[in-house]
Amino acid sequence: MSGRIIIDLFTTLDGVAQAPGGPEEDPSDDFPFGGWQAGYPSRAVGESVTQGMQTLDALLLGRRTYDIFAGYWPQHTDGPEGWIGRLFDGVPKYVASRDAALRLDWQGSTRVGDDLRGEIGMLRERHRDVHVIGSVDLVQTLLAEQLYDELQLWVYPVVLGRGKKVFPDGATPHNMRLLSAQAGDGGALLLRYAPEPGEVRTGTMGG
């Protein structure tokens, strides 16, 4: 059975997915709202994330998210977050980058990106559930090329008006199929989608 590529993203109502976790996460383009997720604590979101990690057996990350994870999780393998640190430390980590000289010091890390479509096929053969966490630039590529099996969006009740979006202007048109929708505490909404083949359908709404 082929494995799955699962994208996990926190996003605002206007589709911004940049730096939800903290000001230093991604300050590119002078983004002023780093850490916007902190204002909306949600037990349901935490439980959903924890559940998703139960079957995670590999990570696929963009370079920036990898650097953040590599600088944090190996030093946090004890305490309340320790199980996450141990999980991330132990699973294979694939880093999307075209830099052939990229140095990856975190154990179990491998560079991909020269042939992303072929490499995604390889990951599906090797693993059961490969999670893409954050990594907005990589996610945009995966969505455009439909190189994913499930998109999990935790949508928060806030509008920022600027920042990197899940679907920026010029995004490739394509269909999706809703798998489930779940409302959580704190106003967050979990939406799960799968890619749907075929051209985007247009027409006139009848009365």
Side-chain angles (χ1 to χ4, degrees), residues 16-101:
V16 175
Q18 183 172 350
E24 303 303 320
E25 184 176 339
D26 183 0
S28 60
D29 299 321
D30 297 320
F31 183 64
F33 299 114
W36 54 264
Q37 185 187 10
Y40 302 89
S42 171
R43 177 179 297 179
V45 170
E47 291 175 349
S48 177
V49 171
T50 298
Q51 183 179 4
M53 289 185 182
Q54 302 304 314
T55 57
L56 181 156
D57 63 346
L59 289 168
L60 174 60
L61 305 171
R63 171 66 186 277
R64 185 185 297 274
T65 301
Y66 171 82
D67 286 343
I68 293 170
F69 279 25
Y72 182 84
W73 288 115
Q75 289 76 45
H76 292 78
T77 55
D78 296 313
E81 296 181 326
W83 71 273
I84 302 177
R86 292 190 296 274
L87 173 64
F88 287 175
D89 205 37
V91 301
K93 293 159 282 286
Y94 300 93
V95 186
S97 173
R98 296 189 182 278
D99 182 2

Side-chain angles (χ1 to χ4, degrees), residues 126-143:
R126 287 185 180 179
H127 303 288
R128 177 179 52 186
D129 280 352
V130 180
H131 282 250
V132 185
I133 301 175
S135 309
V136 180
D137 294 332
L138 170 61
V139 166
Q140 290 173 351
T141 299
L142 296 176
L143 293 173

Side-chain angles (χ1 to χ4, degrees), residues 195-207:
E196 184 78 5
E199 297 293 327
V200 173
R201 298 173 292 276
T202 62
T204 301
M205 298 297 294

